[in-house]
């Protein structure tokens, strides 16, 4: 018979290795994810990750995965976690995905962009320098596919390990905050053993100010206190998502001319893969994905163009620039589908310039 949550906690409180016995838990760092903090508790007291999660107050229901627990905390778990972390309810919820997937940007962050997840519940990108400096603490916002760089260290985030495995996965142990950890599923894809240190992962430096600006604009929208109506907020984010899809469907290397070489090369590889999937009617394969090693670099290219279109004070001028730049591409793929929202916004700006109105499929 499986012990109930309260019974398990009572037994845990009697263990000399439990956090209750020690009387304290490590304090979360600003911006840290709840999973990262649980890993720190696990390392401090010598528990497995799952045991540490339960001992700090996260209920473990049979069949539930830790990713679900970290998605949105239950009301029953909050008092225990507030006591352990020393945080209030709002600050504690900011360590989970809840505030990111419930706001006006939820439609964007819940989406997938050619293999790039708006928010990855199972794994995370990383800044190797931040991981080294914080002794293995991981930021929540690294899990967002829209987060492409570290402003502090002026570097692009590492999407995956050099072997191709995802980083800091929920189904791996706390050691994954420092090293690549192989699993059976990964080995079945042809991966061999790997113990690459996260702190030593190679990353490119950010030199392009337009990428930095695009990154700041997107996350400025999330953290901004500017008062907008729900309709205005939804329009901003729907325009941004639409512009990303437009860039992915029709973008050419000329759109990102002058950007960092790593971004230009990743976007060029994506465009070549996209063109190889086009049908004779101009449609792109719905399963088109960016290369896993390129994901954050490709998203940097998407955002560099999409923010210029969606967040510009003069959308008409930016739309004309886009159309003039990709005109050869448009002519070579005349049947490409472009969704034009009848409610207005950026799609209607393009429609006014003569872009055909074809339904999204």
């Amino acid at each position: 018979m499986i012990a109930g949550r309260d019974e398990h906690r009572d037994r845990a409180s009697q263990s000399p290795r439990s956090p209750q016995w020690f009387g304290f838990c490590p304090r979360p760092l600003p911006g840290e994810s709840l999973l990262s903090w649980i890993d720190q508790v696990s390392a401090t007291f010598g528990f497995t990750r799952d045991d540490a999660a339960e001992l700090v107050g996260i209920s473990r229901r049979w069949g539930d995965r830790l990713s679900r627990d970290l998605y949105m905390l239950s009301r029953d778990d909050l008092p225990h976690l507030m006591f352990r972390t020393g945080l209030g309810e709002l600050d504690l919820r900011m360590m989970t995905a809840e505030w990111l997937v419930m706001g006006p940007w939820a439609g964007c962050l819940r989406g997938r962009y050619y293999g790039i997840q708006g928010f990855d519940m199972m794994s995370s990108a990383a800044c190797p320098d931040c991981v080294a400096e914080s002794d293995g603490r991981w930021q929540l916002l690294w899990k967002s596919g829209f987060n492409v760089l570290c402003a502090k260290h002026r570097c692009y985030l590492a999407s995956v390990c050099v072997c191709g495995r995802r980083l800091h996965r929920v189904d791996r142990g706390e050691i994954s905050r420092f090293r690549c950890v192989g699993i059976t599923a990964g080995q079945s894809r042809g991966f061999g053993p790997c113990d690459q240190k996260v702190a030593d992962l190679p990353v490119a430096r950010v030199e392009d100010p337009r990428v930095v600006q695009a990154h700041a604009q997107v996350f400025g929208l999330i953290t901004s206190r500017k008062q907008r109506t729900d309709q205005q907020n939804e329009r901003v984010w729907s325009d941004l998502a639409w512009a990303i899809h437009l860039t992915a469907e029709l973008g050419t290397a000329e759109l990102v001319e002058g950007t960092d070489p790593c971004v230009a090369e990743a976007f060029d590889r994506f465009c070549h893969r996209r063109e190889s999937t086009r049908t004779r009617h101009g449609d792109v394969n719905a399963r088109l994905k960016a290369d896993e090693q390129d994901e954050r670099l490709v998203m940097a290219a998407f955002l560099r163009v999409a923010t210029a279109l969606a967040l510009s004070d003069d959308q008409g001028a930016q739309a004309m620039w886009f159309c003039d730049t990709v005109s050869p591409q448009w002519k070579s793929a005349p049947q490409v589908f472009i969704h034009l929202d009848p409610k207005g916004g950026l799609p209607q700006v393009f429609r006014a310039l003569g872009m055909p109105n074809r339904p999204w499929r």
Side-chain angles (χ1 to χ4, degrees):
M1 180 177 180
I2 300 173
R5 187 176 73 233
D6 294 337
E7 181 184 347
H8 192 110
R9 285 182 178 138
D10 289 342
R11 291 205 309 268
S13 67
Q14 300 168 11
S15 169
R17 299 177 63 203
S18 77
Q20 289 173 320
W21 179 272
F22 281 88
F24 74 94
C25 280
R27 290 282 294 180
L29 297 183
E32 185 177 13
S33 72
L34 187 57
L35 177 63
S36 173
W37 177 74
I38 290 172
D39 281 347
Q40 186 66 25
V41 173
S42 171
T44 301
F45 299 110
F47 295 118
T48 66
R49 176 186 277 176
D50 285 346
D51 285 344
E54 185 161 3
L55 290 171
V56 298
I58 293 181
S59 56
R60 302 296 297 149
R61 293 167 294 279
W62 185 254
D64 280 356
R65 305 183 69 170
L66 188 56
S67 60
R68 187 179 305 172
D69 298 329
L70 301 177
Y71 182 82
M72 187 177 298
L73 293 172
S74 72
R75 180 64 61 177
D76 292 339
D77 294 341
L78 280 171
H80 303 281
L81 282 167
M82 289 168 64
F83 174 74
R84 295 292 177 217
T85 60
L87 301 178
E89 179 178 342
L90 179 60
D91 289 334
L92 186 57
R93 291 191 183 278
M94 294 285 282
M95 296 177 68
T96 73
E98 181 177 353
W99 70 281
L100 287 171
V101 297
M102 298 296 287
W105 46 78
C108 267
L109 293 185
R110 287 175 177 171
R112 292 177 64 90
Y113 303 87
Y114 307 90
I116 307 169
Q117 297 190 57
F119 190 88
D120 189 344
M121 292 303 305
M122 293 299 296
S123 60
S124 175
C127 168
D129 290 339
C130 285
V131 171
E133 291 177 3
S134 64
D135 194 27
R137 311 294 275 268
W138 290 62
Q139 297 286 307
L140 176 72
L141 287 179
W142 288 348
K143 297 173 75 66
S144 170
F146 286 71
N147 196 0
V148 299
L149 59 85
C150 173
K152 177 181 179 181
H153 295 106
R154 301 284 292 193
C155 66
Y156 291 99
L157 300 184
S159 305
V160 293
C161 178
V162 292
C163 71
R165 291 186 178 95
R166 298 286 179 179
L167 302 173
H168 201 227
R169 281 184 59 95
V170 173
D171 54 2
R172 304 179 194 179
E174 62 86 17
I175 193 62
S176 66
R177 63 196 180 120
F178 291 116
R179 294 179 179 273
C180 175
V181 180
I183 56 175
T184 303
Q187 293 170 353
S188 69
R189 295 174 55 190
F191 294 139
C194 180
D195 62 353
Q196 168 73 42
K197 292 183 179 179
V198 175
D200 293 337
L201 286 172
V203 289
R205 297 296 157 184
V206 180
E207 304 291 345
D208 184 359
R210 289 182 59 183
V211 171
V212 175
Q213 180 186 16
H215 179 270
Q217 284 180 302
V218 170
F219 286 93
L221 287 173
I222 294 177
T223 58
S224 174
R225 297 182 179 274
K226 182 178 179 180
Q227 296 298 315
R228 296 188 181 93
T229 66
D230 290 343
Q231 186 175 4
Q232 288 173 326
N233 272 320
E234 290 173 3
R235 172 52 60 194
V236 168
W237 285 98
S238 64
D239 278 355
L240 183 63
W242 187 86
I244 290 173
H245 284 293
L246 182 72
T247 303
E249 294 284 338
L250 296 178
T252 60
E254 289 74 18
L255 285 176
V256 295
E257 187 174 351
T259 191
D260 294 323
C262 59
V263 174
E265 291 167 6
F267 187 60
D268 188 57
R269 285 191 290 270
F270 174 83
C271 292
H272 276 87
R273 180 178 292 186
R274 177 195 66 202
E275 293 311 305
S276 68
T277 71
R278 282 202 193 275
T279 69
R280 61 189 180 88
H281 298 296
D283 294 335
V284 173
N285 191 317
R287 291 177 290 182
L288 172 67
K289 293 183 179 180
D291 186 83
E292 290 179 344
Q293 297 280 3
D294 290 343
E295 284 182 356
R296 298 300 168 104
L297 299 177
V298 171
M299 180 56 78
F302 288 168
L303 293 179
R304 188 180 190 268
V305 177
T307 54
L309 294 172
L311 306 181
S312 170
D313 292 332
D314 190 350
Q315 289 185 336
Q318 292 299 318
M320 290 184 66
W321 160 75
F322 183 93
C323 291
D324 290 343
T325 304
V326 304
S327 56
Q329 173 65 26
W330 177 251
K331 292 176 182 177
S332 67
Q335 300 299 319
V336 69
F337 56 86
I338 300 297
H339 171 63
L340 297 179
D341 190 337
K343 297 180 182 179
L346 183 62
Q348 289 302 310
V349 175
F350 276 86
R351 188 174 186 179
L353 294 176
M355 182 171 284
N357 183 12
R358 295 186 176 88
W360 185 275
R361 342 178 212 182

